[in-house]
Amino acid sequence: MSRPFYLDLGEAREELSVLGIDLSDKQIRRAAEPDAHGKRKLPFFVDPIDGRLKIEKGTLISLYIERQVQAENNIRN
């Protein structure tokens, strides 16, 4: 099992751009903001030490892979 590697908003945006997903600062911030029910589009959390939003790198990548698989499974034959 690999160690978790946490990314802040900027690092998450850079990691997604490596995958070909180019988001603006505003788009990544919006995905990290909780909605009226306290749910976020991406599972960012507030770091208890420095108070910044963080996300685990593997979780971020696996979410995009999971959505891609779902899309591939939903194509019409």
Side-chain angles (χ1 to χ4, degrees):
M1 184 172 160
S2 63
R3 293 180 126 172
F5 186 81
Y6 298 104
L7 307 170
D8 64 19
L9 287 171
E11 293 167 334
R13 184 172 164 251
E14 289 173 15
E15 190 65 34
L16 290 174
S17 71
V18 169
L19 298 175
I21 303 163
D22 295 318
L23 300 175
S24 68
D25 285 334
K26 187 175 182 177
Q27 288 173 312
I28 195 76
R29 282 194 319 267
R30 191 176 302 141
E33 292 174 355
D35 63 10
H37 304 288
K39 303 285 185 174
R40 300 177 194 275
K41 290 181 183 177
L42 293 174
F44 282 91
F45 65 94
V46 178
D47 185 308
I49 296 172
D50 66 9
R52 296 185 308 166
L53 288 172
K54 301 280 178 99
I55 190 170
E56 203 279 318
K57 181 179 177 179
T59 301
L60 179 65
I61 293 170
S62 68
L63 285 169
Y64 274 86
I65 292 170
E66 180 181 315
R67 292 297 174 116
Q68 177 186 349
V69 169
Q70 288 174 357
E72 290 171 354
N73 290 336
N74 287 330
I75 60 173
R76 295 183 194 177
N77 290 326

